[in-house]
CSV table of all heavy atoms in Angstrom, one decimal:
chain,number,residue,atom,x,y,z
D,365,ALA,N,97.1,95.5,119.2
D,365,ALA,CA,96.0,96.1,118.5
D,365,ALA,C,96.6,97.1,117.4
D,365,ALA,O,96.2,97.1,116.3
D,365,ALA,CB,95.1,96.9,119.4
D,366,TYR,N,97.6,97.8,117.8
D,366,TYR,CA,98.2,98.8,116.9
D,366,TYR,C,99.0,98.0,115.8
D,366,TYR,O,99.0,98.4,114.6
D,366,TYR,CB,99.2,99.8,117.5
D,366,TYR,CG,99.6,100.8,116.6
D,366,TYR,CD1,98.7,101.8,116.2
D,366,TYR,CD2,100.9,100.8,116.0
D,366,TYR,CE1,99.1,102.8,115.2
D,366,TYR,CE2,101.2,101.8,115.0
D,366,TYR,CZ,100.3,102.8,114.7
D,366,TYR,OH,100.7,103.7,113.7
D,367,GLU,N,99.6,96.9,116.1
D,367,GLU,CA,100.3,96.1,115.1
D,367,GLU,C,99.3,95.6,114.1
D,367,GLU,O,99.7,95.4,112.9
D,367,GLU,CB,101.0,94.9,115.8
D,367,GLU,CG,102.3,95.2,116.5
D,367,GLU,CD,103.0,94.0,117.1
D,367,GLU,OE1,102.5,92.9,116.8
D,367,GLU,OE2,104.0,94.2,117.8
D,368,ALA,N,98.1,95.3,114.5
D,368,ALA,CA,97.1,94.8,113.5
D,368,ALA,C,96.8,95.8,112.4
D,368,ALA,O,96.4,95.5,111.3
D,368,ALA,CB,95.8,94.4,114.3
D,369,VAL,N,96.9,97.1,112.8
D,369,VAL,CA,96.6,98.2,111.8
D,369,VAL,C,97.9,98.7,111.1
D,369,VAL,O,97.8,99.6,110.2
D,369,VAL,CB,95.8,99.3,112.4
D,369,VAL,CG1,94.5,98.8,112.9
D,369,VAL,CG2,96.6,100.1,113.4
D,370,SER,N,99.0,98.3,111.6
D,370,SER,CA,100.3,98.8,111.0
D,370,SER,C,101.1,97.6,110.4
D,370,SER,O,101.0,97.3,109.2
D,370,SER,CB,101.1,99.5,112.1
D,370,SER,OG,101.3,98.8,113.2
D,371,THR,N,101.9,96.9,111.2
D,371,THR,CA,102.8,95.9,110.7
D,371,THR,C,102.0,94.8,110.0
D,371,THR,O,102.4,94.4,108.9
D,371,THR,CB,103.5,95.3,111.9
D,371,THR,OG1,104.2,96.3,112.6
D,371,THR,CG2,104.5,94.2,111.4
D,372,ARG,N,100.9,94.3,110.6
D,372,ARG,CA,100.2,93.2,109.9
D,372,ARG,C,99.4,93.7,108.7
D,372,ARG,O,99.3,92.9,107.7
D,372,ARG,CB,99.3,92.5,110.9
D,372,ARG,CG,100.1,91.8,112.1
D,372,ARG,CD,99.2,90.8,112.9
D,372,ARG,NE,99.9,90.5,114.1
D,372,ARG,CZ,99.6,91.0,115.3
D,372,ARG,NH1,98.6,91.8,115.4
D,372,ARG,NH2,100.2,90.6,116.4
D,373,ALA,N,98.9,94.9,108.8
D,373,ALA,CA,98.2,95.4,107.7
D,373,ALA,C,99.1,95.6,106.5
D,373,ALA,O,98.7,95.3,105.3
D,373,ALA,CB,97.5,96.7,108.1
D,374,ARG,N,100.3,96.1,106.8
D,374,ARG,CA,101.3,96.3,105.7
D,374,ARG,C,101.6,95.0,105.1
D,374,ARG,O,101.8,94.9,103.8
D,374,ARG,CB,102.5,97.0,106.2
D,374,ARG,CG,102.3,98.5,106.5
D,374,ARG,CD,103.6,99.2,106.9
D,374,ARG,NE,104.6,99.2,105.9
D,374,ARG,CZ,104.7,100.0,104.9
D,374,ARG,NH1,103.8,101.0,104.8
D,374,ARG,NH2,105.7,99.9,104.0
D,375,ARG,N,101.8,93.9,105.9
D,375,ARG,CA,102.1,92.6,105.3
D,375,ARG,C,101.0,92.1,104.4
D,375,ARG,O,101.3,91.5,103.4
D,375,ARG,CB,102.4,91.6,106.4
D,375,ARG,CG,102.9,90.3,105.9
D,375,ARG,CD,103.3,89.4,107.0
D,375,ARG,NE,103.7,88.0,106.4
D,375,ARG,CZ,104.0,87.0,107.2
D,375,ARG,NH1,104.2,87.1,108.5
D,375,ARG,NH2,104.3,85.8,106.6
D,376,VAL,N,99.8,92.3,104.8
D,376,VAL,CA,98.7,91.9,104.0
D,376,VAL,C,98.7,92.6,102.6
D,376,VAL,O,98.4,92.0,101.5
D,376,VAL,CB,97.3,92.2,104.6
D,376,VAL,CG1,96.2,92.1,103.6
D,376,VAL,CG2,97.1,91.2,105.8
D,377,LEU,N,99.2,93.8,102.6
D,377,LEU,CA,99.3,94.6,101.4
D,377,LEU,C,100.6,94.3,100.6
D,377,LEU,O,100.8,94.9,99.5
D,377,LEU,CB,99.2,96.1,101.7
D,377,LEU,CG,97.9,96.6,102.4
D,377,LEU,CD1,97.9,98.1,102.4
D,377,LEU,CD2,96.7,96.1,101.6
D,378,GLY,N,101.4,93.4,101.1
D,378,GLY,CA,102.7,93.1,100.5
D,378,GLY,C,103.7,94.2,100.6
D,378,GLY,O,104.6,94.3,99.7
D,379,LEU,N,103.6,95.0,101.6
D,379,LEU,CA,104.5,96.2,101.8
D,379,LEU,C,105.6,95.8,102.7
D,379,LEU,O,105.4,95.0,103.6
D,379,LEU,CB,103.8,97.4,102.3
D,379,LEU,CG,102.7,97.9,101.3
D,379,LEU,CD1,101.9,99.0,102.1
D,379,LEU,CD2,103.3,98.5,100.1
D,380,PRO,N,106.8,96.4,102.6
D,380,PRO,CA,107.9,96.1,103.5
D,380,PRO,C,107.6,96.6,104.9
D,380,PRO,O,106.8,97.5,105.2
D,380,PRO,CB,109.1,96.9,102.9
D,380,PRO,CG,108.5,98.0,102.1
D,380,PRO,CD,107.2,97.4,101.6
D,381,GLU,N,108.2,95.9,105.9
D,381,GLU,CA,108.0,96.2,107.3
D,381,GLU,C,108.6,97.6,107.6
D,381,GLU,O,109.6,98.0,107.0
D,381,GLU,CB,108.7,95.2,108.1
D,381,GLU,CG,108.6,95.4,109.6
D,381,GLU,CD,109.3,94.3,110.5
D,381,GLU,OE1,110.1,93.5,109.9
D,381,GLU,OE2,109.1,94.3,111.7
D,382,VAL,N,108.0,98.3,108.6
D,382,VAL,CA,108.5,99.6,109.0
D,382,VAL,C,108.8,99.5,110.5
D,382,VAL,O,108.0,99.0,111.3
D,382,VAL,CB,107.4,100.7,108.8
D,382,VAL,CG1,107.9,102.0,109.5
D,382,VAL,CG2,107.1,100.9,107.3
D,383,ARG,N,110.1,99.8,110.8
D,383,ARG,CA,110.5,100.0,112.2
D,383,ARG,C,111.2,101.3,112.3
D,383,ARG,O,111.7,101.8,111.3
D,383,ARG,CB,111.5,98.9,112.6
D,383,ARG,CG,111.0,97.5,112.6
D,383,ARG,CD,112.1,96.5,113.1
D,383,ARG,NE,111.8,95.1,112.8
D,383,ARG,CZ,112.6,94.2,113.0
D,383,ARG,NH1,113.9,94.4,113.4
D,383,ARG,NH2,112.3,92.9,112.7
D,384,ILE,N,111.2,101.9,113.5
D,384,ILE,CA,111.9,103.2,113.7
D,384,ILE,C,113.3,102.8,114.0
D,384,ILE,O,113.8,103.0,115.1
D,384,ILE,CB,111.2,104.0,114.8
D,384,ILE,CG1,109.7,104.2,114.4
D,384,ILE,CG2,111.9,105.4,114.9
D,384,ILE,CD1,108.9,105.0,115.4
D,385,GLU,N,114.0,102.4,112.9
D,385,GLU,CA,115.4,102.0,113.0
D,385,GLU,C,116.0,102.4,111.6
D,385,GLU,O,115.3,102.5,110.6
D,385,GLU,CB,115.6,100.5,113.2
D,385,GLU,CG,115.0,100.0,114.5
D,385,GLU,CD,115.1,98.5,114.6
D,385,GLU,OE1,115.9,97.9,113.8
D,385,GLU,OE2,114.5,97.9,115.5
D,386,ALA,N,117.3,102.6,111.6
D,386,ALA,CA,118.0,103.0,110.4
D,386,ALA,C,117.8,101.9,109.3
D,386,ALA,O,117.8,100.7,109.6
D,386,ALA,CB,119.5,103.2,110.6
D,387,GLY,N,117.5,102.4,108.1
D,387,GLY,CA,117.4,101.5,106.9
D,387,GLY,C,115.9,101.2,106.6
D,387,GLY,O,115.7,100.6,105.5
D,388,PHE,N,115.0,101.5,107.5
D,388,PHE,CA,113.6,101.1,107.2
D,388,PHE,C,112.9,102.3,106.5
D,388,PHE,O,113.3,103.4,106.6
D,388,PHE,CB,112.9,100.7,108.5
D,388,PHE,CG,113.2,99.4,109.0
D,388,PHE,CD1,114.3,99.2,109.8
D,388,PHE,CD2,112.4,98.3,108.7
D,388,PHE,CE1,114.7,97.9,110.3
D,388,PHE,CE2,112.8,97.0,109.1
D,388,PHE,CZ,113.9,96.8,109.9
D,389,PRO,N,111.8,101.9,105.8
D,389,PRO,CA,111.1,103.0,105.1
D,389,PRO,C,110.6,104.1,106.0
D,389,PRO,O,110.1,103.8,107.1
D,389,PRO,CB,109.9,102.2,104.4
D,389,PRO,CG,110.4,100.8,104.3
D,389,PRO,CD,111.2,100.6,105.5
D,390,ALA,N,110.6,105.3,105.6
D,390,ALA,CA,110.1,106.4,106.4
D,390,ALA,C,108.6,106.6,106.2
D,390,ALA,O,108.1,107.5,105.5
D,390,ALA,CB,110.9,107.7,106.0
D,391,GLU,N,107.8,105.6,106.7
D,391,GLU,CA,106.4,105.7,106.7
D,391,GLU,C,106.0,105.8,108.2
D,391,GLU,O,106.0,104.8,108.9
D,391,GLU,CB,105.8,104.4,106.1
D,391,GLU,CG,106.2,104.1,104.7
D,391,GLU,CD,105.6,105.1,103.7
D,391,GLU,OE1,104.4,105.5,103.9
D,391,GLU,OE2,106.3,105.5,102.7
D,392,LEU,N,105.7,107.0,108.6
D,392,LEU,CA,105.6,107.3,110.1
D,392,LEU,C,104.4,108.1,110.4
D,392,LEU,O,103.8,108.8,109.6
D,392,LEU,CB,106.9,108.0,110.5
D,392,LEU,CG,108.2,107.4,110.2
D,392,LEU,CD1,109.3,108.3,110.5
D,392,LEU,CD2,108.4,106.1,111.0
D,393,LEU,N,103.9,107.9,111.7
D,393,LEU,CA,102.8,108.7,112.2
D,393,LEU,C,103.2,109.2,113.6
D,393,LEU,O,103.6,108.4,114.4
D,393,LEU,CB,101.6,107.8,112.3
D,393,LEU,CG,100.4,108.4,113.1
D,393,LEU,CD1,99.9,109.7,112.4
D,393,LEU,CD2,99.3,107.4,113.3
D,394,ALA,N,103.2,110.5,113.8
D,394,ALA,CA,103.4,111.1,115.1
D,394,ALA,C,102.1,111.5,115.7
D,394,ALA,O,101.3,112.2,115.0
D,394,ALA,CB,104.3,112.3,115.0
D,395,VAL,N,101.8,111.1,116.9
D,395,VAL,CA,100.5,111.4,117.5
D,395,VAL,C,100.8,112.0,118.9
D,395,VAL,O,101.7,111.6,119.6
D,395,VAL,CB,99.6,110.2,117.7
D,395,VAL,CG1,99.2,109.6,116.3
D,395,VAL,CG2,100.2,109.1,118.5
D,396,ARG,N,100.0,113.0,119.3
D,396,ARG,CA,100.2,113.6,120.6
D,396,ARG,C,99.9,112.6,121.7
D,396,ARG,O,98.9,111.9,121.7
D,396,ARG,CB,99.2,114.8,120.7
D,396,ARG,CG,99.1,115.4,122.0
D,396,ARG,CD,100.3,116.3,122.4
D,396,ARG,NE,100.5,117.4,121.5
D,396,ARG,CZ,101.5,118.3,121.7
D,396,ARG,NH1,102.4,118.1,122.7
D,396,ARG,NH2,101.6,119.3,120.9
D,397,GLY,N,100.9,112.5,122.6
D,397,GLY,CA,100.8,111.5,123.7
D,397,GLY,C,102.1,110.9,124.1
D,397,GLY,O,103.1,111.1,123.3
D,398,ASP,N,102.1,110.3,125.2
D,398,ASP,CA,103.3,109.7,125.8
D,398,ASP,C,103.4,108.2,125.6
D,398,ASP,O,104.5,107.6,125.6
D,398,ASP,CB,103.5,110.1,127.3
D,398,ASP,CG,103.7,111.6,127.5
D,398,ASP,OD1,104.3,112.2,126.6
D,398,ASP,OD2,103.2,112.1,128.5
D,399,THR,N,102.2,107.6,125.6
D,399,THR,CA,102.2,106.1,125.5
D,399,THR,C,101.2,105.7,124.4
D,399,THR,O,100.4,106.5,124.0
D,399,THR,CB,101.7,105.5,126.8
D,399,THR,OG1,100.3,105.9,127.0
D,399,THR,CG2,102.5,106.0,128.0
D,400,LEU,N,101.4,104.4,124.0
D,400,LEU,CA,100.5,103.9,122.9
D,400,LEU,C,99.1,103.9,123.4
D,400,LEU,O,98.2,104.2,122.7
D,400,LEU,CB,101.0,102.5,122.5
D,400,LEU,CG,100.3,101.9,121.3
D,400,LEU,CD1,100.3,102.8,120.1
D,400,LEU,CD2,100.9,100.6,120.9
D,401,ALA,N,98.9,103.4,124.6
D,401,ALA,CA,97.5,103.4,125.2
D,401,ALA,C,96.9,104.7,125.2
D,401,ALA,O,95.7,104.9,124.8
D,401,ALA,CB,97.5,102.8,126.6
D,402,GLY,N,97.6,105.8,125.6
D,402,GLY,CA,97.1,107.1,125.6
D,402,GLY,C,96.8,107.6,124.2
D,402,GLY,O,95.8,108.3,124.0
D,403,ALA,N,97.7,107.3,123.2
D,403,ALA,CA,97.4,107.7,121.8
D,403,ALA,C,96.2,107.0,121.3
D,403,ALA,O,95.4,107.7,120.6
D,403,ALA,CB,98.6,107.3,121.0
D,404,LEU,N,95.9,105.8,121.6
D,404,LEU,CA,94.7,105.1,121.1
D,404,LEU,C,93.5,105.7,121.8
D,404,LEU,O,92.4,105.7,121.2
D,404,LEU,CB,94.8,103.6,121.3
D,404,LEU,CG,95.9,102.9,120.6
D,404,LEU,CD1,95.8,101.4,120.8
D,404,LEU,CD2,95.8,103.1,119.1
D,405,SER,N,93.6,106.1,123.0
D,405,SER,CA,92.5,106.7,123.7
D,405,SER,C,92.1,108.1,123.2
D,405,SER,O,90.9,108.3,123.0
D,405,SER,CB,92.9,106.8,125.2
D,405,SER,OG,91.8,107.5,125.9
D,406,LEU,N,93.1,108.9,122.9
D,406,LEU,CA,92.8,110.3,122.4
D,406,LEU,C,93.9,110.8,121.6
D,406,LEU,O,94.8,111.4,122.1
D,406,LEU,CB,92.5,111.2,123.7
D,406,LEU,CG,92.0,112.6,123.3
D,406,LEU,CD1,90.7,112.6,122.7
D,406,LEU,CD2,92.0,113.4,124.6
D,407,ALA,N,93.8,110.6,120.3
D,407,ALA,CA,94.9,111.0,119.4
D,407,ALA,C,94.3,111.9,118.4
D,407,ALA,O,93.9,111.5,117.3
D,407,ALA,CB,95.6,109.8,118.7
D,408,CYS,N,94.2,113.2,118.7
D,408,CYS,CA,93.6,114.2,117.8
D,408,CYS,C,94.7,114.8,116.9
D,408,CYS,O,94.6,114.9,115.7
D,408,CYS,CB,92.9,115.3,118.5
D,408,CYS,SG,91.5,114.6,119.5
D,409,SER,N,95.8,115.3,117.5
D,409,SER,CA,96.9,115.9,116.7
D,409,SER,C,97.8,114.8,116.1
D,409,SER,O,98.3,114.0,116.9
D,409,SER,CB,97.7,116.8,117.7
D,409,SER,OG,96.9,117.9,118.1
D,410,ARG,N,98.0,114.9,114.8
D,410,ARG,CA,98.8,113.9,114.1
D,410,ARG,C,99.6,114.6,113.0
D,410,ARG,O,99.2,115.6,112.5
D,410,ARG,CB,97.9,112.8,113.5
D,410,ARG,CG,96.9,112.2,114.5
D,410,ARG,CD,96.0,111.1,113.9
D,410,ARG,NE,94.9,110.8,114.7
D,410,ARG,CZ,94.1,109.7,114.5
D,410,ARG,NH1,94.3,108.9,113.5
D,410,ARG,NH2,93.1,109.5,115.4
D,411,LEU,N,100.8,114.0,112.8
D,411,LEU,CA,101.6,114.3,111.7
D,411,LEU,C,102.0,113.1,110.9
D,411,LEU,O,102.4,112.1,111.5
D,411,LEU,CB,102.8,115.1,112.2
D,411,LEU,CG,103.8,115.6,111.1
D,411,LEU,CD1,104.3,117.0,111.4
D,411,LEU,CD2,105.0,114.6,110.9
D,412,VAL,N,101.8,113.1,109.6
D,412,VAL,CA,102.0,111.9,108.8
D,412,VAL,C,103.1,112.1,107.8
D,412,VAL,O,103.2,113.1,107.1
D,412,VAL,CB,100.7,111.6,108.0
D,412,VAL,CG1,100.8,110.2,107.3
D,412,VAL,CG2,99.5,111.6,108.9
D,413,VAL,N,104.0,111.1,107.8
D,413,VAL,CA,105.2,111.1,106.9
D,413,VAL,C,105.1,109.9,105.9
D,413,VAL,O,104.9,108.8,106.4
D,413,VAL,CB,106.5,111.0,107.7
D,413,VAL,CG1,107.7,110.9,106.8
D,413,VAL,CG2,106.7,112.2,108.6
D,414,HIS,N,105.1,110.2,104.7
D,414,HIS,CA,105.1,109.2,103.6
D,414,HIS,C,106.2,109.4,102.7
D,414,HIS,O,106.5,110.5,102.2
D,414,HIS,CB,103.7,109.3,102.8
D,414,HIS,CG,103.6,108.4,101.6
D,414,HIS,ND1,103.8,107.1,101.7
D,414,HIS,CD2,103.3,108.7,100.3
D,414,HIS,CE1,103.6,106.6,100.5
D,414,HIS,NE2,103.3,107.5,99.7
D,415,ARG,N,107.0,108.3,102.5
D,415,ARG,CA,108.2,108.3,101.7
D,415,ARG,C,109.1,109.5,102.1
D,415,ARG,O,109.8,110.1,101.2
D,415,ARG,CB,107.8,108.5,100.2
D,415,ARG,CG,107.0,107.3,99.7
D,415,ARG,CD,106.7,107.4,98.2
D,415,ARG,NE,105.9,106.4,97.7
D,415,ARG,CZ,105.5,106.2,96.5
D,415,ARG,NH1,105.9,107.0,95.5
D,415,ARG,NH2,104.7,105.2,96.1
D,416,GLY,N,109.2,109.7,103.4
D,416,GLY,CA,110.2,110.6,103.9
D,416,GLY,C,109.7,112.1,103.9
D,416,GLY,O,110.5,113.0,104.2
D,417,ARG,N,108.5,112.3,103.5
D,417,ARG,CA,108.0,113.7,103.4
D,417,ARG,C,106.7,113.8,104.2
D,417,ARG,O,105.9,112.9,104.3
D,417,ARG,CB,107.6,114.0,101.9
D,417,ARG,CG,108.9,114.0,101.0
D,417,ARG,CD,108.6,113.8,99.6
D,417,ARG,NE,107.4,114.5,99.1
D,417,ARG,CZ,107.2,114.8,97.8
D,417,ARG,NH1,108.1,114.5,96.9
D,417,ARG,NH2,106.0,115.3,97.4
D,418,VAL,N,106.5,115.0,104.8
D,418,VAL,CA,105.3,115.3,105.5
D,418,VAL,C,104.2,115.5,104.5
D,418,VAL,O,104.2,116.4,103.7
D,418,VAL,CB,105.5,116.6,106.4
D,418,VAL,CG1,104.1,116.9,107.1
D,418,VAL,CG2,106.6,116.4,107.4
D,419,VAL,N,103.1,114.7,104.6
D,419,VAL,CA,102.0,114.7,103.7
D,419,VAL,C,100.7,115.2,104.3
D,419,VAL,O,99.8,115.5,103.6
D,419,VAL,CB,101.9,113.4,103.0
D,419,VAL,CG1,103.0,113.1,102.0
D,419,VAL,CG2,101.7,112.2,104.0
D,420,ALA,N,100.6,115.1,105.6
D,420,ALA,CA,99.4,115.6,106.3
D,420,ALA,C,99.7,116.0,107.7
D,420,ALA,O,100.6,115.4,108.3
D,420,ALA,CB,98.3,114.4,106.3
D,421,ARG,N,98.9,116.9,108.2
D,421,ARG,CA,99.0,117.3,109.6
D,421,ARG,C,97.6,117.7,110.1
D,421,ARG,O,96.9,118.4,109.5
D,421,ARG,CB,100.0,118.5,109.7
D,421,ARG,CG,99.9,119.3,111.0
D,421,ARG,CD,100.8,120.5,111.0
D,421,ARG,NE,102.1,120.1,111.5
D,421,ARG,CZ,103.2,120.8,111.2
D,421,ARG,NH1,103.1,121.9,110.4
D,421,ARG,NH2,104.3,120.5,111.7
D,422,THR,N,97.4,117.3,111.4
D,422,THR,CA,96.1,117.7,112.1
D,422,THR,C,96.6,118.2,113.4
D,422,THR,O,97.3,117.5,114.2
D,422,THR,CB,95.2,116.5,112.2
D,422,THR,OG1,94.8,116.0,111.0
D,422,THR,CG2,93.9,117.0,112.9
D,423,SER,N,96.1,119.4,113.8
D,423,SER,CA,96.5,120.0,115.1
D,423,SER,C,95.2,120.3,115.8
D,423,SER,O,94.3,120.9,115.3
D,423,SER,CB,97.3,121.3,114.9
D,423,SER,OG,98.6,121.0,114.3
D,424,ALA,N,95.1,119.9,117.1
D,424,ALA,CA,93.9,120.2,117.9
D,424,ALA,C,94.3,120.8,119.2
D,424,ALA,O,95.3,120.4,119.9
D,424,ALA,CB,93.2,118.9,118.2
D,425,VAL,N,93.7,121.9,119.6
D,425,VAL,CA,93.9,122.6,120.8
D,425,VAL,C,92.5,122.7,121.6
D,425,VAL,O,91.5,123.1,121.0
D,425,VAL,CB,94.5,124.0,120.7
D,425,VAL,CG1,94.6,124.7,122.0
D,425,VAL,CG2,95.8,123.9,120.0
D,426,ARG,N,92.5,122.3,122.8
D,426,ARG,CA,91.2,122.4,123.6
D,426,ARG,C,91.4,123.5,124.5
D,426,ARG,O,92.4,123.7,125.2
D,426,ARG,CB,91.0,121.1,124.4
D,426,ARG,CG,89.7,121.1,125.2
D,426,ARG,CD,89.5,119.7,125.7
D,426,ARG,NE,89.1,118.8,124.6
D,426,ARG,CZ,89.1,117.5,124.7
D,426,ARG,NH1,89.5,116.9,125.8
D,426,ARG,NH2,88.7,116.7,123.7
D,427,GLU,N,90.4,124.4,124.6
D,427,GLU,CA,90.4,125.6,125.4
D,427,GLU,C,89.3,125.5,126.5
D,427,GLU,O,88.2,125.0,126.2
D,427,GLU,CB,90.2,126.9,124.6
D,427,GLU,CG,91.3,127.1,123.5
D,427,GLU,CD,91.2,128.4,122.8
D,427,GLU,OE1,90.0,128.8,122.6
D,427,GLU,OE2,92.2,129.0,122.4
D,428,TYR,N,89.6,126.1,127.7
D,428,TYR,CA,88.7,126.1,128.8
D,428,TYR,C,88.5,127.6,129.2
D,428,TYR,O,89.4,128.4,129.2
D,428,TYR,CB,89.2,125.3,130.0
D,428,TYR,CG,89.6,123.9,129.6
D,428,TYR,CD1,90.9,123.6,129.2
D,428,TYR,CD2,88.7,122.8,129.7
D,428,TYR,CE1,91.3,122.3,128.9
D,428,TYR,CE2,89.1,121.5,129.4
D,428,TYR,CZ,90.3,121.3,129.0
D,428,TYR,OH,90.7,120.0,128.6
D,429,ARG,N,87.3,127.9,129.7
D,429,ARG,CA,87.1,129.2,130.2
D,429,ARG,C,87.6,129.3,131.6
D,429,ARG,O,87.8,128.3,132.3
D,429,ARG,CB,85.6,129.6,130.1
D,429,ARG,CG,84.7,128.7,131.0
D,429,ARG,CD,83.3,129.4,131.2
D,429,ARG,NE,83.5,130.6,132.0
D,429,ARG,CZ,82.5,131.5,132.1
D,429,ARG,NH1,81.4,131.4,131.4
D,429,ARG,NH2,82.7,132.6,132.8
D,430,ASP,N,87.7,130.5,132.1
D,430,ASP,CA,88.1,130.7,133.5
D,430,ASP,C,87.0,130.1,134.4
D,430,ASP,O,85.8,130.3,134.2
D,430,ASP,CB,88.2,132.2,133.9
D,430,ASP,CG,89.4,132.8,133.2
D,430,ASP,OD1,90.3,132.0,132.7
D,430,ASP,OD2,89.5,134.0,133.2
D,431,PRO,N,87.4,129.3,135.4
D,431,PRO,CA,86.4,128.7,136.3
D,431,PRO,C,85.7,129.7,137.2
D,431,PRO,O,84.5,129.4,137.5
D,431,PRO,CB,87.3,127.7,137.1
D,431,PRO,CG,88.6,128.3,137.1
D,431,PRO,CD,88.8,128.9,135.8
D,432,ALA,N,86.3,130.8,137.5
D,432,ALA,CA,85.7,131.7,138.4
D,432,ALA,C,85.3,133.0,137.8
D,432,ALA,O,84.6,133.9,138.4
D,432,ALA,CB,86.6,132.0,139.6
D,433,GLY,N,85.8,133.3,136.6
D,433,GLY,CA,85.5,134.5,135.9
D,433,GLY,C,86.4,135.7,136.4
D,433,GLY,O,87.2,135.5,137.2
D,434,ALA,N,86.2,136.8,135.8
D,434,ALA,CA,87.0,138.0,136.1
D,434,ALA,C,86.9,138.4,137.5
D,434,ALA,O,85.8,138.6,138.0
D,434,ALA,CB,86.6,139.1,135.2
D,435,GLY,N,88.0,138.5,138.2
D,435,GLY,CA,88.0,139.0,139.6
D,435,GLY,C,87.4,138.0,140.6
D,435,GLY,O,87.1,138.4,141.7
D,436,GLY,N,87.2,136.7,140.2
D,436,GLY,CA,86.6,135.7,141.1
D,436,GLY,C,87.6,135.3,142.2
D,436,GLY,O,88.8,135.7,142.2
Side-chain angles (χ1 to χ4, degrees):
Y366 189 74
E367 285 183 5
V369 301
S370 56
T371 303
R372 297 194 193 103
R374 287 183 62 85
R375 183 172 175 184
V376 164
L377 301 186
L379 297 173
E381 183 182 7
V382 174
R383 298 182 192 170
I384 304 179
E385 300 176 13
F388 284 85
E391 303 288 324
L392 304 171
L393 170 64
V395 298
R396 173 70 66 175
D398 295 327
T399 66
L400 185 54
L404 296 184
S405 173
L406 186 63
C408 299
S409 296
R410 309 184 192 189
L411 182 139
V412 186
V413 175
H414 173 52
R415 299 185 183 180
R417 296 159 36 159
V418 176
V419 292
R421 163 184 271 159
T422 302
S423 298
V425 176
R426 181 169 292 164
E427 296 184 329
Y428 306 91
R429 65 163 292 165
D430 289 347

